[in-house]
Amino acid sequence: QIYNIGQIHLDQIKYIRLDKLIKSYIYKSIFCFLLPTKIFWFETLLCVFIFAGVHGNLCTVTGPSIIDVKGSLNFVSDRCEYSLLHDQSTGFSLKANFLDRRRRDVSFVDSLTLDFSDSDDIQLLQGHRVMVAGSPVTLTSSVQTSGGVDLSKDQTGVTASFSVNGSSVSVFFDGTTAQIYMDLPVNHTYEGLCVDSSVVSSSRLPSNHSCQQTYQDPADDTINCPAVSQKCDVLKSAPFSSCNLDVDPEPYIIACHETLCKYPDVDGLRCQFLEAYAKACEKTQTFSEQHSDHEFCGDIHGNTDCRCRAINAHQYTEQNRLGGPTVCQGNNASLTLVGCLLKENGIDYTHLHLNDQTCTGVMDDSHMLKFSFSSDSCGTEVKTNNSQVIFSNAVVTRNSSSEVITRQDKVFIEFSCSHPKPELQNVAFNILDNSVEIVLQSGEWTYSLTMKAYSDAAHTQLLDPKSDVRLNQKIWIVLETEGLDKDVVSVVTDSCWATSGNSSSSTPRYDLIRDGCANAQDGTVSVMGNGEGTSNSFSFNMFEFSGKEPSEVYLHCHLQLCVKKNTNCVPGCSAGGRRRRSLRYRRGAPALISMVWTP
């Protein structure tokens, strides 16, 4: 194949990474020609690439099938030992032993032997076991080195990493599938089935001739070959399809078809072909395994899918739950369900939503499905009892009237968060301060309350210590909160009264607001926005108490927080019955006003 790089300045050649030009191919050789034609101080660099194919460095052996580095497929039909890879220059050999399982006429790769000419042999066996020089070795996830070979084990299988003839080699074996990966293309010094899967007979190693005996067992009439083929074809569908351009799925599909049309789909057989393809894709860094660490590939209701590992699932199943507890934070809540538990219970997560059908869950890379809601979204219900504010929602199945039938079980998972009902607080303000702000804490609620006094209805002229407040002058008191959810609660000024002393219970006392309404006997009092939001205001004409010197006036207000959901927080006030109050007014003397918010 010829790839024309184009017009490149000679000084730029040192920056070219030729191996990055074609992502999907591994090249064997590159030949470049510098053409003599010059165009505007540029010369043409023409390179010829000889490619080794899409697979290039990867060989897969799964069941009886071998997919070599060129992507060619072949099968082993006997129970002999074969050379997968042999380096003539160093003498290294990788051997695979094939044995029968439930049928005599289908063989499976059963073990691998790493044969080093200058060090001990290493065997990778069933059950993730390893033998070095005939002695068992206990492995963990930490790398253990033996004779220059790095050995490690995880929940998926055993990996042996080493170097041969300048190339780094990685051999993975999980008991059903072996995958051999080299960081450099296979060259002419290598031979074996991984180099050319067609040379089966010449790659068979000397052994007892009885291993070559072939059998023909009766066909298994329980196998539905067309149905099996459909299940193997899943490698062309998501999520595997994202890798199809980098790793050809056809050899894996054919291997799956040929094996499962003869051998029963038991012992996770179908999964091993899917996992082998996923592992090959993982080497291209374009695809990750279909299941997460807490899952394995298994049968769910007759289909291959991700099942939950028992230890991880136990924490949920022992409490008959499909996920973790509700996580509450302020006015927000979330519930996480385990994707594999949903599948095992026949629940399609795409059919789930909260009370509001537009609020669906988000599935992350670890297959955990998270639903989130706030107190004012997704159909959340807000309720109160004597001491709690409760936000509740539910995960339910989609109910579409356009669907004549459904194969989804009904799901109803209710979850909620509760917080202590906000308590009333005590706070005092002084009119000589133009603005006072305090921060209040009540259970889960943290908010601030600000009181400001203005001389105009538009609340633009803020009163300060230098302002001259005259008797009978109208002033506006504004109470504002910050940190409360205006869609959930509102502030209600229940009552306000004035005293000549700083104690709210001192006498004499004069009422400005009663039961959330202006004192009907004082025509100067007006209440605005009470119970409608997280702020309200009221106004009155300035006064002083008769016969009190110095003439200080303290204003006390009783406020409460009202949960708005299904509740009318606006006090019902009726006009009329107001009469002018009987007070002696005196001009000029400044008034000191304090406000106390009492329980």
Side-chain angles (χ1 to χ4, degrees):
Q1 301 185 46
I2 298 178
Y3 189 84
N4 187 3
I5 299 176
Q7 309 296 329
I8 302 177
H9 196 281
L10 292 179
D11 291 342
Q12 295 177 318
I13 291 179
K14 61 184 179 181
Y15 298 109
I16 298 174
R17 288 290 304 277
L18 296 177
D19 59 321
K20 300 298 183 184
L21 291 175
I22 305 295
K23 177 182 177 182
S24 300
Y25 290 86
I26 306 299
Y27 56 85
K28 282 185 177 179
S29 305
I30 301 176
F31 300 93
C32 295
F33 304 91
L34 191 63
L35 302 184
T37 304
K38 291 189 176 182
I39 304 176
F40 299 110
W41 301 101
F42 289 83
E43 298 190 356
T44 301
L45 184 67
L46 184 66
C47 290
V48 179
F49 295 76
I50 300 179
F51 294 103
V54 179
H55 293 267
N57 311 55
L58 180 67
C59 171
T60 297
V61 183
T62 183
S65 59
I66 301 102
I67 304 172
D68 64 26
V69 294
K70 299 186 297 292
S72 299
L73 171 68
N74 209 341
F75 296 87
V76 169
S77 58
D78 56 26
R79 297 156 311 289
C80 298
E81 188 175 36
Y82 286 83
S83 172
L84 297 181
L85 199 64
H86 176 67
D87 180 29
Q88 302 175 62
S89 63
T90 63
F92 165 76
S93 290
L94 174 62
K95 307 170 185 178
N97 192 48
F98 290 80
L99 290 175
D100 58 297
R101 292 188 180 176
R102 293 176 183 252
R103 291 179 62 94
R104 296 178 300 169
D105 54 352
V106 180
S107 298
F108 291 82
V109 58
D110 192 73
S111 63
L112 300 179
T113 300
L114 283 66
D115 185 352
F116 298 93
S117 59
D118 56 353
S119 60
D120 295 330
D121 290 355
I122 297 176
Q123 289 180 290
L124 309 183
L125 307 173
Q126 294 289 305
H128 300 182
R129 294 179 297 120
V130 177
M131 304 268 292
V132 177
S135 300
V137 176
T138 302
L139 297 180
T140 64
S141 57
S142 301
V143 175
Q144 181 174 331
T145 303
S146 177
V149 180
D150 292 338
L151 298 169
S152 62
K153 181 176 74 172
D154 60 19
Q155 60 187 11
T156 63
V158 176
T159 301
S161 301
F162 51 94
S163 179
V164 174
N165 200 16
S167 175
S168 295
V169 181
S170 173
V171 178
F172 171 82
F173 186 59
D174 62 3
T176 60
T177 299
Q179 289 189 307
I180 301 92
Y181 180 79
M182 304 177 67
D183 67 346
L184 294 177
V186 175
N187 57 40
H188 64 279
T189 66
Y190 290 98
E191 58 185 11
L193 291 177
C194 278
V195 178
D196 186 354
S197 61
S198 66
V199 293
V200 173
S201 58
S202 61
S203 297
R204 185 184 299 115
L205 298 174
S207 61
N208 190 325
H209 287 291
S210 63
C211 76
Q212 299 181 38
Q213 182 178 350
T214 58
Y215 299 89
Q216 189 64 42
D217 287 348
D220 189 337
D221 57 8
T222 66
I223 298 175
N224 184 342
C225 194
V228 165
S229 298
Q230 283 187 329
K231 294 176 180 179
C232 295
D233 288 341
V234 72
L235 290 178
K236 293 181 180 179
S237 305
F240 302 100
S241 56
S242 63
C243 178
N244 288 175
L245 292 177
D246 295 288
V247 179
D248 185 3
E250 284 302 324
Y252 296 86
I253 293 174
I254 295 172
C256 180
H257 288 175
E258 293 293 326
T259 305
L260 290 175
C261 282
K262 182 182 290 187
Y263 194 93
D265 183 11
V266 292
D267 308 323
L269 180 58
R270 187 181 345 137
C271 280
Q272 77 179 54
F273 292 99
L274 307 185
E275 290 182 332
Y277 184 76
K279 198 79 175 179
C281 291
E282 194 176 31
K283 292 296 183 181
T284 69
Q285 299 181 349
T286 63
F287 182 83
S288 58
E289 288 193 62
Q290 188 181 16
H291 54 258
S292 63
D293 289 343
H294 61 267
E295 299 169 332
F296 68 96
C297 189
D299 181 82
I300 300 180
H301 310 302
N303 296 310
T304 301
D305 216 321
C306 300
R307 292 192 66 93
C308 296
R309 297 188 185 276
I311 294 177
N312 184 269
H314 181 69
Q315 58 182 308
Y316 307 108
T317 56
E318 69 172 347
Q319 299 180 30
N320 197 28
R321 293 190 287 112
L322 294 175
T326 308
V327 177
C328 303
Q329 187 173 9
N331 291 346
N332 299 301
S334 64
L335 177 69
T336 301
L337 303 180
V338 183
C340 54
L341 286 179
L342 294 175
K343 291 179 180 179
E344 290 177 15
N345 284 274
I347 301 171
D348 184 348
Y349 82 91
T350 63
H351 288 244
L352 301 179
H353 57 77
L354 297 180
N355 287 338
D356 183 341
Q357 291 193 23
T358 63
C359 296
T360 56
V362 177
M363 183 74 76
D364 63 18
D365 293 337
S366 62
H367 294 179
M368 303 296 283
L369 182 66
K370 184 176 182 179
F371 291 88
S372 301
F373 73 90
S374 62
S375 59
D376 61 343
S377 66
C378 297
T380 301
E381 296 182 1
V382 182
K383 301 177 182 178
T384 61
N385 56 24
N386 292 333
S387 61
Q388 299 285 317
V389 178
I390 303 170
F391 309 97
S392 62
N393 212 312
V395 177
V396 297
T397 45
R398 184 175 62 217
N399 182 17
S400 175
S401 58
S402 63
E403 295 178 354
V404 179
I405 66 170
T406 179
R407 292 188 171 89
Q408 293 294 316
D409 288 335
K410 290 184 178 181
V411 177
F412 183 82
I413 305 172
E414 189 172 27
F415 59 113
S416 62
C417 288
S418 61
H419 300 306
K421 195 172 181 180
E423 299 174 351
L424 300 175
Q425 303 288 334
N426 292 318
V427 61
F429 296 94
N430 192 316
I431 200 173
L432 296 180
D433 294 320
N434 61 343
S435 175
V436 178
E437 179 179 359
I438 61 168
V439 177
L440 304 174
Q441 176 72 40
S442 176
E444 296 290 330
W445 306 70
T446 300
Y447 54 98
S448 62
L449 174 66
T450 304
M451 178 269 191
K452 295 180 181 179
Y454 296 89
S455 61
D456 64 322
H459 305 160
T460 60
Q461 302 297 319
L462 186 66
L463 292 174
D464 59 36
K466 297 180 179 180
S467 301
D468 182 16
V469 181
R470 298 170 297 170
L471 288 175
N472 208 28
Q473 176 182 337
K474 185 174 288 292
I475 63 173
W476 285 260
I477 304 297
V478 177
L479 295 171
E480 295 178 318
T481 62
E482 186 173 346
L484 294 175
D485 190 336
K486 63 182 177 60
D487 295 318
V488 177
V489 298
S490 61
V491 176
V492 178
T493 302
D494 186 64
S495 58
C496 284
W497 66 97
T499 63
S500 60
N502 59 6
S503 172
S504 61
S505 59
S506 64
T507 56
R509 164 179 173 146
Y510 185 78
D511 292 311
L512 295 173
I513 300 175
R514 296 174 181 171
D515 297 324
C517 302
N519 183 355
Q521 298 178 358
D522 188 337
T524 72
V525 181
S526 296
V527 182
M528 289 74 71
N530 198 12
E532 296 178 0
T534 54
S535 65
N536 60 57
S537 62
F538 64 95
S539 63
F540 63 95
N541 287 10
M542 190 58 203
F543 61 90
E544 68 176 0
F545 285 96
S546 302
K548 295 292 182 179
E549 295 292 340
S551 55
E552 292 181 341
V553 176
Y554 292 85
L555 180 63
H556 312 275
C557 288
H558 186 192
L559 289 83
Q560 62 182 358
L561 299 182
C562 174
V563 178
K564 298 174 68 174
K565 200 75 171 185
N566 301 322
T567 302
N568 182 11
C569 296
V570 178
C573 301
S574 58
R578 295 186 178 183
R579 56 191 176 91
R580 188 178 181 87
R581 61 189 164 191
S582 176
L583 290 173
R584 180 176 61 85
Y585 296 105
R586 182 165 57 87
R587 295 177 58 89
L592 177 67
I593 298 178
S594 63
M595 189 193 85
V596 180
W597 189 5
T598 59

